[in-house]
Amino acid sequence: MAQMLYEGKAKKVYATENPDEYLVFYKDDATAFNGVKRGTILNKGVLNNKISAFFFDLLGKNGIPHHFVRLVSDREMLVKKLTILQIEVVVRNIAAGSLAKRIGWEEGRKLPQPVVELYYKNDDLGDPLINEYHARAMGLADDNQLKAIQELGLKINAILGAYLKEKKLELIDFKLEFGLHNGQLLLGDEISPDTCRFWDSETGQKLDKDRFRRDLGDVEDAYKEVLYRLTGEKL
Ligand code: UDP
Protein backbone atom coordinates (compact mmCIF):
# COMPACT_ATOMS: atom_id res chain seq x y z
CA MET A 1 0.00 0.00 0.00
CA ALA A 2 1.28 3.42 -0.88
CA GLN A 3 2.35 5.69 1.95
CA MET A 4 -0.32 8.11 3.16
CA LEU A 5 1.22 11.57 3.43
CA TYR A 6 -1.75 13.52 4.72
CA GLU A 7 -5.34 13.00 5.81
CA GLY A 8 -7.64 15.98 5.65
CA LYS A 9 -11.31 16.41 6.40
CA ALA A 10 -12.53 15.18 3.02
CA LYS A 11 -9.50 13.64 1.32
CA LYS A 12 -6.41 11.51 1.83
CA VAL A 13 -3.19 12.10 -0.08
CA TYR A 14 -0.78 9.27 -0.93
CA ALA A 15 2.72 9.18 -2.40
CA THR A 16 3.11 7.40 -5.75
CA GLU A 17 6.08 5.84 -7.54
CA ASN A 18 6.42 9.11 -9.41
CA PRO A 19 7.99 11.75 -7.11
CA ASP A 20 6.17 14.45 -9.11
CA GLU A 21 2.68 13.03 -8.50
CA TYR A 22 0.31 12.33 -5.62
CA LEU A 23 -2.78 10.15 -5.44
CA VAL A 24 -5.83 11.84 -3.89
CA PHE A 25 -8.57 9.68 -2.34
CA TYR A 26 -11.96 11.38 -1.83
CA LYS A 27 -13.81 10.38 1.36
CA ASP A 28 -17.52 10.52 2.23
CA ASP A 29 -16.75 12.42 5.47
CA ALA A 30 -18.27 15.86 5.70
CA THR A 31 -17.45 18.63 8.16
CA ALA A 32 -18.72 22.16 8.57
CA PHE A 33 -18.14 25.16 10.83
CA ASN A 34 -14.42 24.42 11.11
CA GLY A 35 -14.96 20.78 12.06
CA VAL A 36 -17.61 21.37 14.75
CA LYS A 37 -20.32 19.63 12.69
CA ARG A 38 -19.38 16.21 11.38
CA GLY A 39 -21.18 13.62 9.29
CA THR A 40 -21.12 11.43 6.24
CA ILE A 41 -22.63 12.06 2.85
CA LEU A 42 -23.13 8.73 1.08
CA ASN A 43 -21.08 8.53 -2.14
CA LYS A 44 -19.77 12.08 -1.73
CA GLY A 45 -16.22 10.87 -2.39
CA VAL A 46 -17.20 9.36 -5.72
CA LEU A 47 -19.29 12.37 -6.72
CA ASN A 48 -16.68 14.99 -5.77
CA ASN A 49 -13.89 13.04 -7.46
CA LYS A 50 -15.85 12.97 -10.71
CA ILE A 51 -17.15 16.54 -10.44
CA SER A 52 -13.66 17.91 -9.65
CA ALA A 53 -12.13 15.99 -12.57
CA PHE A 54 -14.77 17.47 -14.87
CA PHE A 55 -14.11 21.03 -13.69
CA PHE A 56 -10.31 20.70 -13.88
CA ASP A 57 -10.67 19.40 -17.47
CA LEU A 58 -12.97 22.27 -18.39
CA LEU A 59 -10.60 24.83 -16.87
CA GLY A 60 -7.55 23.25 -18.52
CA LYS A 61 -9.24 23.51 -21.92
CA ASN A 62 -9.72 27.20 -21.14
CA GLY A 63 -6.08 27.86 -20.34
CA ILE A 64 -6.08 27.53 -16.54
CA PRO A 65 -3.02 25.61 -15.24
CA HIS A 66 -4.10 22.96 -12.69
CA HIS A 67 -2.79 19.92 -10.81
CA PHE A 68 -5.22 17.28 -12.13
CA VAL A 69 -3.58 14.52 -14.20
CA ARG A 70 -6.24 11.79 -14.56
CA LEU A 71 -8.87 9.75 -12.76
CA VAL A 72 -7.56 6.48 -11.35
CA SER A 73 -10.76 5.02 -9.85
CA ASP A 74 -14.20 6.11 -8.65
CA ARG A 75 -12.68 7.81 -5.61
CA GLU A 76 -9.11 8.50 -6.71
CA MET A 77 -7.35 10.97 -8.94
CA LEU A 78 -3.71 11.45 -9.81
CA VAL A 79 -2.47 15.02 -9.35
CA LYS A 80 0.79 16.90 -9.72
CA LYS A 81 2.63 17.34 -6.44
CA LEU A 82 2.08 20.84 -5.08
CA THR A 83 3.44 22.94 -2.28
CA ILE A 84 0.14 24.56 -1.34
CA LEU A 85 0.05 28.30 -0.57
CA GLN A 86 -1.57 28.78 2.85
CA ILE A 87 -4.21 31.05 1.32
CA GLU A 88 -7.79 30.28 0.33
CA VAL A 89 -9.13 32.41 -2.52
CA VAL A 90 -12.91 32.88 -2.42
CA VAL A 91 -14.75 34.44 -5.36
CA ARG A 92 -18.37 35.56 -4.96
CA ASN A 93 -21.11 36.64 -7.34
CA ILE A 94 -24.07 36.65 -4.97
CA ALA A 95 -24.04 37.38 -1.24
CA ALA A 96 -24.29 34.21 0.86
CA GLY A 97 -22.73 32.53 3.87
CA SER A 98 -20.09 34.47 5.75
CA LEU A 99 -20.22 37.51 3.42
CA ALA A 100 -23.98 37.95 3.86
CA LYS A 101 -23.37 37.88 7.62
CA ARG A 102 -20.32 40.18 7.59
CA ILE A 103 -21.75 43.01 5.50
CA GLY A 104 -25.40 42.56 6.43
CA TRP A 105 -26.72 41.81 2.93
CA GLU A 106 -29.54 39.32 2.61
CA GLU A 107 -28.53 36.00 1.11
CA GLY A 108 -29.27 35.98 -2.61
CA ARG A 109 -28.56 39.67 -3.25
CA LYS A 110 -26.48 40.02 -6.41
CA LEU A 111 -23.11 41.71 -6.04
CA PRO A 112 -22.68 44.41 -8.72
CA GLN A 113 -19.29 42.91 -9.52
CA PRO A 114 -17.47 39.74 -8.44
CA VAL A 115 -15.75 39.98 -5.06
CA VAL A 116 -12.42 38.26 -4.38
CA GLU A 117 -11.43 37.44 -0.80
CA LEU A 118 -8.36 35.90 0.79
CA TYR A 119 -8.41 33.68 3.86
CA TYR A 120 -5.45 32.42 5.89
CA LYS A 121 -5.59 28.62 5.66
CA ASN A 122 -5.21 27.75 9.34
CA ASP A 123 -7.68 25.45 11.11
CA ASP A 124 -6.56 26.49 14.61
CA LEU A 125 -7.52 30.09 13.80
CA GLY A 126 -10.69 29.10 11.87
CA ASP A 127 -9.37 30.33 8.49
CA PRO A 128 -9.57 34.10 9.18
CA LEU A 129 -10.24 36.66 6.44
CA ILE A 130 -7.04 38.50 5.49
CA ASN A 131 -6.01 41.01 2.83
CA GLU A 132 -3.00 41.29 0.54
CA TYR A 133 -1.02 43.22 3.15
CA HIS A 134 -1.45 40.46 5.71
CA ALA A 135 -0.51 37.83 3.13
CA ARG A 136 2.68 39.70 2.21
CA ALA A 137 3.63 40.51 5.81
CA MET A 138 3.04 36.90 6.84
CA GLY A 139 5.11 35.64 3.90
CA LEU A 140 2.22 33.54 2.58
CA ALA A 141 2.82 34.66 -1.01
CA ASP A 142 4.79 37.26 -2.94
CA ASP A 143 3.40 40.13 -5.03
CA ASN A 144 3.37 38.20 -8.29
CA GLN A 145 1.66 35.21 -6.72
CA LEU A 146 -0.98 37.37 -5.03
CA LYS A 147 -1.74 39.12 -8.32
CA ALA A 148 -1.85 35.80 -10.18
CA ILE A 149 -4.14 33.93 -7.77
CA GLN A 150 -6.67 36.76 -7.71
CA GLU A 151 -6.65 37.14 -11.50
CA LEU A 152 -6.96 33.39 -11.92
CA GLY A 153 -9.85 33.42 -9.44
CA LEU A 154 -11.73 35.93 -11.59
CA LYS A 155 -10.93 34.08 -14.81
CA ILE A 156 -12.08 30.78 -13.31
CA ASN A 157 -15.24 32.51 -12.12
CA ALA A 158 -16.00 33.66 -15.68
CA ILE A 159 -15.35 30.20 -17.18
CA LEU A 160 -17.31 28.23 -14.57
CA GLY A 161 -20.13 30.77 -14.32
CA ALA A 162 -20.80 30.75 -18.07
CA TYR A 163 -20.67 26.95 -18.27
CA LEU A 164 -22.92 26.41 -15.25
CA LYS A 165 -25.49 28.91 -16.53
CA GLU A 166 -26.03 26.68 -19.56
CA LYS A 167 -26.75 23.85 -17.15
CA LYS A 168 -29.26 26.02 -15.29
CA LEU A 169 -26.98 26.40 -12.27
CA GLU A 170 -26.03 29.74 -10.68
CA LEU A 171 -22.47 29.96 -9.38
CA ILE A 172 -22.94 31.84 -6.10
CA ASP A 173 -19.41 31.58 -4.71
CA PHE A 174 -16.49 29.15 -4.46
CA LYS A 175 -13.11 28.58 -2.82
CA LEU A 176 -9.82 27.84 -4.59
CA GLU A 177 -6.39 26.75 -3.46
CA PHE A 178 -3.18 27.18 -5.41
CA GLY A 179 0.25 25.63 -5.12
CA LEU A 180 3.69 25.51 -6.66
CA HIS A 181 4.92 22.63 -8.82
CA ASN A 182 8.55 23.02 -9.91
CA GLY A 183 8.16 26.78 -9.57
CA GLN A 184 4.92 26.85 -11.57
CA LEU A 185 1.71 28.17 -9.98
CA LEU A 186 -1.13 25.64 -10.41
CA LEU A 187 -4.75 25.43 -9.27
CA GLY A 188 -5.00 22.61 -6.71
CA ASP A 189 -7.35 20.98 -4.20
CA GLU A 190 -10.89 20.27 -5.50
CA ILE A 191 -13.81 22.04 -7.14
CA SER A 192 -17.04 20.45 -5.99
CA PRO A 193 -20.31 21.10 -4.14
CA ASP A 194 -18.15 20.98 -0.97
CA THR A 195 -16.24 24.07 -2.09
CA CYS A 196 -18.79 25.94 -4.24
CA ARG A 197 -22.35 27.17 -3.85
CA PHE A 198 -24.64 26.19 -6.73
CA TRP A 199 -28.28 27.23 -6.87
CA ASP A 200 -30.79 25.98 -9.44
CA SER A 201 -31.31 28.90 -11.84
CA GLU A 202 -35.07 28.51 -11.92
CA THR A 203 -36.09 27.34 -8.45
CA GLY A 204 -33.18 28.71 -6.40
CA GLN A 205 -32.81 25.26 -4.81
CA LYS A 206 -29.43 24.82 -3.12
CA LEU A 207 -27.36 22.03 -4.70
CA ASP A 208 -24.27 22.12 -2.51
CA LYS A 209 -22.86 21.60 0.98
CA ASP A 210 -25.27 24.12 2.51
CA ARG A 211 -27.79 21.23 2.46
CA PHE A 212 -25.49 19.51 4.99
CA ARG A 213 -24.45 22.66 6.91
CA ARG A 214 -28.06 23.74 7.39
CA ASP A 215 -29.71 20.29 7.68
CA LEU A 216 -31.84 20.82 4.57
CA GLY A 217 -31.94 17.10 3.67
CA ASP A 218 -31.41 15.36 0.30
CA VAL A 219 -27.69 16.11 0.43
CA GLU A 220 -26.57 13.13 -1.67
CA ASP A 221 -29.26 13.81 -4.27
CA ALA A 222 -28.07 17.41 -4.63
CA TYR A 223 -24.47 16.30 -5.35
CA LYS A 224 -25.81 13.66 -7.77
CA GLU A 225 -27.84 16.31 -9.58
CA VAL A 226 -24.72 18.47 -10.04
CA LEU A 227 -22.79 15.55 -11.56
CA TYR A 228 -25.77 14.72 -13.80
CA ARG A 229 -26.15 18.28 -15.08
CA LEU A 230 -22.43 18.60 -15.77
CA THR A 231 -21.72 15.24 -17.38
CA GLY A 232 -25.04 13.47 -17.99
CA GLU A 233 -23.80 10.67 -15.72
CA LYS A 234 -26.32 9.20 -13.27
CA LEU A 235 -24.76 7.66 -10.18
N1 UDP B 1 -15.51 27.39 1.46
C1 UDP B 1 -14.72 26.24 1.43
N2 UDP B 1 -13.92 25.95 2.51
C2 UDP B 1 -13.84 26.75 3.59
C3 UDP B 1 -14.64 27.91 3.63
C4 UDP B 1 -15.45 28.21 2.54
O1 UDP B 1 -14.76 25.50 0.45
O2 UDP B 1 -13.07 26.44 4.52
C5 UDP B 1 -16.38 27.73 0.31
C6 UDP B 1 -17.85 27.58 0.64
O3 UDP B 1 -18.32 26.32 0.26
C7 UDP B 1 -18.47 28.66 -0.21
C8 UDP B 1 -17.38 29.73 -0.32
O4 UDP B 1 -16.17 29.09 -0.01
O5 UDP B 1 -18.74 28.17 -1.52
C9 UDP B 1 -17.62 30.91 0.63
O6 UDP B 1 -17.82 30.42 1.91
P1 UDP B 1 -18.21 31.37 3.13
O7 UDP B 1 -17.08 32.31 3.39
O8 UDP B 1 -19.54 31.97 2.89
O9 UDP B 1 -18.19 30.42 4.37
P2 UDP B 1 -19.23 29.47 5.08
O10 UDP B 1 -20.61 29.85 4.73
O11 UDP B 1 -18.79 28.13 4.62
O12 UDP B 1 -18.88 29.72 6.51
Side-chain angles (χ1 to χ4, degrees):
M1 188 64 199
Q3 188 201 355
M4 188 170 76
L5 300 173
Y6 170 80
E7 177 158 12
K9 286 172 258 184
K11 299 187 286 298
K12 295 182 198 176
V13 179
Y14 294 91
T16 69
E17 278 151 34
N18 183 341
D20 272 342
E21 292 178 350
Y22 287 154
L23 185 78
V24 178
F25 177 96
Y26 284 74
K27 305 192 286 184
D28 286 349
D29 299 353
T31 62
F33 313 119
N34 201 28
V36 171
K37 183 181 169 83
R38 286 165 191 275
T40 318
I41 300 170
L42 199 66
N43 291 319
K44 177 169 81 79
V46 177
L47 290 155
N48 281 359
N49 187 37
K50 288 172 185 268
I51 292 168
S52 289
F54 176 83
F55 279 133
F56 282 125
D57 260 344
L58 175 71
L59 291 170
K61 285 178 188 142
N62 285 277
I64 304 292
H66 59 71
H67 73 157
F68 174 64
V69 177
R70 64 180 165 85
L71 284 173
V72 172
S73 73
D74 266 5
R75 286 177 182 274
E76 293 165 311
M77 61 167 61
L78 209 56
V79 301
K80 291 183 190 163
K81 179 176 169 176
L82 292 185
T83 306
I84 289 281
L85 301 183
Q86 298 306 301
I87 298 176
E88 297 187 346
V89 179
V90 168
V91 184
R92 304 176 180 273
N93 300 299
I94 291 182
S98 73
L99 177 73
K101 214 169 156 184
R102 186 174 333 109
I103 66 172
W105 283 27
E106 78 276 15
E107 193 161 79
R109 182 160 159 195
K110 192 171 171 10
L111 297 160
Q113 57 194 52
V115 168
V116 181
E117 295 172 343
L118 305 176
Y119 291 84
Y120 175 32
K121 199 171 139 60
N122 182 316
D123 280 342
D124 293 340
L125 300 176
D127 297 344
L129 180 70
I130 57 170
N131 64 28
E132 283 193 44
Y133 292 87
H134 297 111
R136 271 191 295 268
M138 294 163 72
L140 302 179
D142 65 28
D143 274 345
N144 289 333
Q145 291 164 347
L146 284 168
K147 186 163 180 272
I149 61 177
Q150 294 177 86
E151 282 176 6
L152 283 166
L154 288 171
K155 209 170 152 195
I156 290 165
N157 185 44
I159 297 163
L160 296 184
Y163 189 88
L164 287 160
K165 232 180 198 66
E166 284 178 32
K167 306 292 176 181
K168 297 267 181 293
L169 290 170
E170 280 316 304
L171 180 59
I172 308 305
D173 56 34
F174 57 95
K175 185 263 298 180
L176 303 171
E177 294 184 25
F178 294 89
L180 295 171
H181 177 79
N182 297 331
Q184 200 195 355
L185 188 71
L186 303 181
L187 174 65
D189 196 46
E190 64 178 286
I191 306 177
S192 72
D194 271 12
T195 63
C196 306
R197 287 193 169 94
F198 304 121
W199 294 358
D200 181 280
S201 300
E202 267 145 34
T203 64
Q205 188 191 13
K206 296 184 194 330
L207 296 169
D208 55 56
K209 198 164 131 184
D210 273 346
R211 301 205 73 82
F212 169 77
R213 293 188 189 101
R214 304 176 189 188
D215 296 319
L216 301 175
D218 298 326
V219 189
E220 187 193 352
D221 284 348
Y223 283 57
K224 279 187 182 168
E225 179 66 19
V226 172
L227 178 69
Y228 176 65
R229 290 208 201 171
L230 292 175
T231 67
E233 181 179 353
K234 279 195 170 156
L235 201 77

